[in-house]
Amino acid sequence: MAMYDELVWKRRSVWETLSEDEKSKVMEFADEYRKFLSTHKTEREVVEFAVEQAKSAGFNEIQDGGDKLIIVNRNKAVAVVKLGRKPVREGVRIVAAHIDVPRIDVKQNPLYEDNQSATALFDLHYYGGIKKYQWVARPLAIHGVVVKTDGRVVKINIGDNPDDPVFTIEDLLPHLAHKAQYGKKIDDAVPGEKLDLIVASIPIPENENVKERIKLNVLKLLNDRFGIAEEDFMSAELEVVPAGPARDVGLDSSMIGGYGHDDRICAYTALRAVIEAGEPEWTAVALLFDKEEIGSDGNTGAQSRFAEHVIAQLLDVQNDLDYRNLMTALQKSQAISADVTAAVDPMWKEVHDLKNAAVLGHGLPIMKYTGRGGKYSANDAHAEFVAEIRRIFNENGVIWQPAGLGKVDEGGGGTVAKFLAKYGMDVIDAGPALLSMHSPFEIASKADLWMAYKAYKAFFESK
Ligand code: MN
Ligand code: MN
């Protein structure tokens, strides 16, 4: 038995290792996270939350100085930084997550009236990897901004307040779906251009000679409430997201179901970790990116030079900014790419290599590499770095498990890891495992949520 315990690695259920005291901390932390998840559904809303939380913990915008700093990039990406005892030029510790989520965006010229069905609709364009059939026949909310030509930003948030109406994308009744849908491939059964949002059905009473009176009524309602006209849609970013709060799942309330765990579960835990980390040896950086779901492109994504710019600004705060220090700091940094992975799916086990797949509630998955096929597009963390991460987690009571996204040749995916690795830093993927990833109702374990927080905090606090 002693030899068995010494030699054999065992995947452990977090629930079976927690003390009663820690279990109540898990549940309390999960309640706070669930509230956050219920109300912050766009990248802009998460940036606002991060800035608010950091400021109330004594962090300042970078231009205001201090050793606890916030750097915002166009309200869609943000770095929250606690300067360490070592100078930044010796490298920093980064936990990077993304705050964009697959969704359906409102097009630039979206509003139209359909005469035959007597409805007004918004034309939509999906963002990221959604299964389109999951988005029809369910309550949806609109979150976003409309920017007026005078620079005024009008915030829109309809469908998540219990008194609000919601919106919906309708689906064809089964009675008439035989030819139109049943014979088709699942992805073609609900084509992208049929994902349009029903927004109204009452025509405006006056203006009898106006052709599209339902459309005009929508514009009047929007104008009364938000002061906007149709042209303002051109400079709007409106995201259609599942309406309603995240919920506890299971008789034991061990899980949270909701929209956007990927990757707000990591963004939230990284943010809490940097705010709550004790005076760190190394500068701690929670780095929250936009656009991961569409390839990390754009100037708020991880392929922009935002990470580099953050380090440059930190060096500048320490009067240490030159090209060599910048490159050295990046090269010597270490990063956790905090992004979710797949949990063993009870209904579709055949896609997993069960020995190397993450199990819900069994701790923080560590993914040495991501990618697809022959490890294409992977960041493959070096064994030396994996060992260091393993040491930090073991020394701090973090339950972790190895993870891979699926069987070899089954599919695959990437994270921001490879874009950070370009700078020369060591990067490893570690984030909770989910069921129903990218769906409107993703499932995470409260135990894994807690272990992610513990892990990121331990990483920030480690020597
Ligand atoms: Mn992700
Ligand atoms: Mn994703």
Side-chain angles (χ1 to χ4, degrees), residues 136-307:
V136 296
R138 58 175 301 132
L140 297 166
I142 300 175
H143 289 224
V145 296
V146 177
V147 184
K148 307 277 288 181
T149 48
D150 62 5
R152 195 159 54 88
V153 178
V154 183
K155 284 186 195 167
I156 311 269
N157 188 330
I158 309 169
D160 268 311
N161 184 317
D163 298 330
D164 281 350
V166 295
F167 307 93
T168 197
I169 299 167
E170 66 86 39
D171 195 10
L172 185 56
L173 63 167
H175 316 64
L176 299 179
H178 288 269
K179 272 189 257 170
Q181 284 184 316
Y182 289 170
K184 293 189 172 153
K185 284 192 201 151
I186 197 163
D187 197 43
D188 301 331
V190 181
E193 280 295 356
K194 287 195 195 287
L195 294 179
D196 283 359
L197 194 70
I198 297 181
V199 296
S201 65
I202 301 180
I204 206 161
E206 62 267 35
N207 294 311
E208 293 278 336
N209 41 7
V210 172
K211 262 201 201 125
E212 299 182 312
R213 291 192 297 129
I214 305 173
K215 173 177 168 176
L216 189 61
N217 199 24
V218 170
L219 289 171
K220 181 180 185 304
L221 290 168
L222 287 172
N223 190 260
D224 289 349
R225 183 156 166 197
F226 300 107
I228 58 176
E230 191 171 22
E231 190 186 303
D232 292 318
F233 280 118
M234 310 286 171
S235 53
E237 287 176 345
L238 300 172
E239 305 181 9
V240 175
V241 296
R247 303 289 299 270
D248 277 2
V249 173
L251 282 171
D252 55 7
S253 294
S254 59
M255 298 162 276
I256 294 175
Y259 166 70
H261 282 306
D262 177 7
D263 187 30
R264 286 169 203 163
I265 192 169
C266 295
Y268 182 83
T269 45
L271 181 68
R272 289 280 301 256
V274 75
I275 288 174
E276 291 164 32
E279 280 183 32
E281 186 77 6
W282 302 88
T283 290
V285 183
L287 195 50
L288 310 184
F289 287 114
D290 178 28
K291 298 286 186 286
E292 192 277 343
E293 295 293 357
I294 57 168
S296 295
D297 293 297
N299 62 5
T300 48
Q303 294 209 63
S304 74
R305 296 169 78 172
F306 180 49

Side-chain angles (χ1 to χ4, degrees), residues 98 102 262 292-293 339-340 437-438:
H98 67 90
D262 177 7
E292 192 277 343
E293 295 293 357
D339 205 346
V340 298
M437 194 199 291
H438 280 207

